[in-house]
């Protein structure tokens, strides 16, 4: 499972970076409560709730330290990437706690633990696919529990955190699917698949049941071309599914 940050969390962290250096503790407390609220709403009970709280507190302590340690003035791209990546890490902890609470044994696997290797083009890094494929297969294939991987992030060969640019979580998901030769990759979205027209212009636009990879690349809004390149490698089908109504979906695959 590849997860993104909770809605608005990454923006919340990045907005904090634009402000004069202040005490990050209110931000840290807000982030803790936001993520715990999701688990409580999902009826996660003890001891899993406490376990998740402990893990969230630990990663947020690291975020706090990084925020305190940052130099005053404009934030360097590499420092912004390191801090922006926390959103996905927190999301992975929430989902891992949820799955375990309902007897679906899971563990989080950070991008740097695999590692997903990228260049040092911070904020829009490109993945070293050959090296990363070997790492993914070595790390994930032997696992007997569900790996929960934060999307959007990678690591340079010298250990610096990178982010993958727009649609980065989809990119991670499609990357993992390709490396594992998955039967398919399912991308859960808050839109009803790929629509026949822009719903802002045509409110009654219907969902396309299937499109090919090239068309998906041209559309570019629902799934980024950076992600599509990986599912094209082994002709892996992708399903874009509406999280509100899973019957509404678009299958992306080879040209028929």
């Amino acid at each position: 499972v590849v997860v993104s940050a909770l809605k608005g969390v990454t923006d919340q962290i990045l907005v904090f970076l634009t402000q004069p250096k202040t005490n990050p503790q209110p931000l840290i407390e807000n982030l803790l409560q936001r993520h715990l609220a999701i688990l409580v709403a999902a009826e996660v009970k003890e001891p899993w709730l406490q376990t998740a709280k402990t893990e969230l507190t630990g990663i947020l302590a690291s975020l706090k330290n990084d925020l305190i340690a940052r130099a005053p003035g404009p934030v360097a791209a590499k420092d912004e990437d390191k801090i922006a990546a926390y959103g996905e890490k927190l999301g992975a902890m929430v989902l891992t706690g949820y799955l375990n609470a309902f007897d679906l044994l899971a563990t989080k696997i950070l991008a740097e633990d695999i590692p997903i290797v990228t260049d040092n083009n911070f904020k829009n890094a490109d993945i070293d696919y050959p090296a990363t494929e070997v790492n993914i297969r070595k790390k994930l294939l032997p696992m007997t529990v569900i790996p929960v991987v934060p999307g959007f992030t990678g690591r340079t060969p010298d250990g610096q955190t990178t982010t993958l640019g727009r649609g980065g979580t989809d990119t991670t998901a499609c990357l993992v699917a390709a490396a594992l030769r998955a039967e398919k990759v399912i991308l859960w979205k808050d839109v009803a698949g790929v629509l026949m027209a822009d719903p802002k212009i045509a409110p009654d636009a219907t969902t396309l049941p299937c499109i090919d990879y090239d068309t998906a690349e041209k559309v570019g809004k629902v799934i980024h071309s950076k992600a599509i390149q990986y599912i094209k490698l082994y002709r892996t089908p992708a399903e874009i599914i509406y999280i509100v109504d899973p019957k509404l979906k678009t299958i992306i695959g080879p040209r028929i």
Side-chain angles (χ1 to χ4, degrees):
V1 182
V2 176
V3 297
S4 61
L6 293 184
K7 186 175 182 179
V9 164
T10 301
D11 287 341
Q12 186 179 359
I13 294 171
L14 293 178
V15 166
F16 183 87
L17 283 181
T18 67
Q19 301 170 352
K21 288 195 71 172
T22 56
N23 179 12
Q25 186 57 38
L27 170 68
I28 298 302
E29 185 60 30
N30 176 270
L31 291 173
L32 176 62
Q33 295 307 319
R34 281 191 67 182
H35 288 81
L36 287 177
I38 295 292
L39 292 168
V40 171
E43 300 183 350
V44 171
K45 308 297 184 185
E46 301 293 357
W48 292 111
L49 186 61
Q50 184 58 47
T51 298
K53 183 176 181 180
T54 299
E55 293 210 357
L56 287 166
T57 300
I59 195 70
L60 285 168
S62 296
L63 171 59
K64 180 179 178 180
N65 290 337
D66 285 338
L67 290 171
I68 292 172
R70 68 187 172 97
V75 181
K78 66 178 182 178
D79 295 328
E80 182 177 321
D81 269 12
K82 183 178 182 182
I83 290 171
Y86 277 100
E88 274 66 26
K89 294 177 182 179
L90 292 166
M93 289 178 177
V94 167
L95 185 59
T96 301
Y98 175 83
L99 292 173
N100 280 305
F102 291 93
D103 298 323
L104 294 167
L105 297 182
T107 187
K108 69 180 183 305
I109 303 291
L110 302 183
E112 53 262 43
D113 294 333
I114 294 174
I116 293 174
V117 183
T118 74
D119 60 17
N120 62 357
N121 183 27
F122 297 101
K123 301 176 72 171
N124 191 23
D126 288 318
I127 296 165
D128 179 343
Y129 181 78
T132 299
E133 180 190 273
V134 171
N135 295 341
I136 288 173
R137 294 182 67 81
K138 182 177 179 180
K139 187 76 174 181
L140 301 188
L141 281 178
M143 294 184 66
T144 57
V145 299
I146 300 169
V148 180
V149 180
F152 184 55
T153 61
R155 193 190 78 174
T156 63
D158 62 352
Q160 297 184 84
T161 300
T162 56
T163 60
L164 306 179
R166 187 167 71 89
T169 298
D170 287 350
T171 300
T172 304
C174 292
L175 163 75
V176 172
L180 297 180
R181 311 296 191 270
E183 181 180 329
K184 64 181 175 181
V185 56
I186 300 173
L187 304 173
W188 294 91
K189 300 283 186 177
D190 58 0
V191 293
V194 179
L195 301 178
M196 294 188 69
D198 186 338
K200 294 179 182 178
I201 300 172
D204 296 329
T206 57
T207 301
L208 290 166
C210 57
I211 57 176
D212 60 45
Y213 298 128
D214 292 338
T215 302
E217 282 184 295
K218 291 175 184 176
V219 173
K221 291 185 177 180
V222 177
I223 176 171
H224 197 270
S225 59
K226 204 169 184 179
I228 293 174
Q229 67 175 313
Y230 294 112
I231 56 176
K232 288 173 71 174
L233 281 174
Y234 300 105
R235 301 168 68 86
T236 307
E239 295 184 2
I240 311 296
I241 300 184
Y242 190 25
I243 199 166
V244 176
D245 182 359
K247 294 190 297 294
L248 296 175
K249 66 179 180 180
T250 299
I251 297 173
I252 301 175
R255 186 183 300 275
I256 299 174

